Amino acid sequence: MNKLLFLVLASATSMTFAATPKTDTVAYKAATDRAEASYKTAKSACNTQSGNAKDICEEQAKLDQKQAELDATTKFKNDKNSLEKARIAVADARYELDEEKCDAMTGANKDSCKSTAKMQQTAAINDAKAGKQSADIAQTGINCNNMTGTDKASCEARSKTELAKDAVADSVITTKIKTELMAEPSLKSLDVKVETNNGKVSLSGFVPSQAEADKAATVARSVKGVHDVQNSLRVK
């Protein structure tokens, strides 16, 4: 009987360890060291530029590093606190890059650009924190389907609120696309009209060549919240 009990306990302990996520500290450090080395190389390459272009180059290098660190965290650590911290670091680095791009503008365009950058940073940080909350719920085993009455209604309402955080306002998308188009040397002087409806973007106007039209569409598709791009730009 004692032997049987020992085997049962040993099996349960083995399953517990197997279910516990392992942190590969060595692999994580190696990955972050590579990210740091890549950042230093990229930043050094920025020295060939000057002024705002150099600032943008350096902030892009920093963003690439933070993104690489997030990838390493996801792969080798993957605990909720580390993921939240890494995601917020990416959001902050992206904001610093967007702000430098805004500095190349003037007047109302610059103000609008910075306002959009701040809104996107706030949304990304909220997303990171929401991810932590979702992980907490998953670990406690709470599921709306297992609830009844007012508890279930409250749980479902909270779920809808979290999903709503992922939606990006059409006005924010439009402003962000215009900002990105202005940041592109080959596109900033073009008269491109941008309209957004439920995440579907329409580009219209005239451009010198098909290459510029394709580039504008690529820029629009890269913006968060864009589901589809209708490219109606015409070559003049």
Side-chain angles (χ1 to χ4, degrees):
M1 190 69 174
N2 289 338
K3 183 176 181 181
L4 178 60
L5 179 60
F6 172 78
L7 290 174
V8 171
L9 291 174
S11 177
T13 301
S14 177
M15 291 176 64
T16 299
F17 281 119
T20 302
K22 292 183 178 180
T23 299
D24 192 336
T25 306
V26 175
Y28 172 75
K29 186 176 187 308
T32 54
D33 284 348
R34 287 194 298 271
E36 175 70 18
S38 296
Y39 164 69
K40 290 180 178 179
T41 300
K43 184 179 179 182
S44 178
C46 296
N47 290 331
T48 59
Q49 304 181 50
S50 61
N52 183 246
K54 181 180 179 180
D55 293 338
I56 291 175
C57 179
E58 291 179 345
E59 293 301 341
Q60 181 65 62
K62 175 60 70 174
L63 173 59
D64 291 342
Q65 179 193 14
K66 295 305 176 184
Q67 185 62 58
E69 289 176 352
L70 172 57
D71 293 342
T73 301
T74 303
K75 187 173 182 180
F76 301 117
K77 295 184 75 173
N78 203 31
D79 65 272
K80 58 185 180 182
N81 291 328
S82 296
L83 282 172
E84 179 184 349
K85 183 178 179 181
R87 286 168 180 159
I88 291 176
V90 169
D92 290 341
R94 190 177 300 280
Y95 170 70
E96 294 298 332
L97 172 60
D98 287 344
E99 235 198 350
E100 288 298 342
K101 290 180 178 180
C102 295
D103 284 341
M105 304 177 186
T106 58
N109 286 335
K110 183 176 182 178
D111 293 339
S112 177
C113 177
K114 290 199 171 189
S115 176
T116 300
K118 175 55 72 173
M119 283 190 293
Q120 290 195 321
Q121 180 196 28
T122 301
I125 290 175
N126 287 338
D127 285 345
K129 292 180 178 179
K132 177 183 177 182
Q133 292 165 359
S134 296
D136 289 339
I137 292 172
Q139 287 193 355
T140 58
I142 298 175
N143 189 309
C144 296
N145 293 329
N146 298 328
M147 301 179 184
T148 58
T150 56
D151 288 339
K152 183 174 182 178
S154 177
C155 179
E156 289 176 342
R158 182 175 59 189
S159 297
K160 289 179 181 179
T161 299
E162 292 300 325
L163 288 173
K165 290 180 180 179
D166 292 333
V168 180
D170 289 339
S171 60
V172 174
I173 292 174
T174 298
T175 302
K176 180 62 175 175
I177 291 174
K178 289 180 178 180
T179 299
E180 293 296 325
L181 291 175
M182 288 289 292
E184 287 289 334
S186 62
L187 301 175
K188 65 181 180 180
S189 61
L190 302 182
D191 184 20
V192 177
K193 184 177 180 181
V194 182
E195 295 180 332
T196 308
N197 184 17
N198 293 327
K200 295 182 179 181
V201 176
S202 175
L203 302 178
S204 59
F206 293 91
V207 293
S209 70
Q210 189 59 45
E212 278 86 353
D214 294 340
K215 178 64 175 177
T218 299
V219 169
R221 290 190 186 96
S222 69
V223 172
K224 180 181 178 181
V226 174
H227 305 309
D228 185 35
V229 176
Q230 180 181 354
N231 191 353
S232 299
L233 290 171
R234 300 173 62 184
V235 178
K236 62 181 178 179

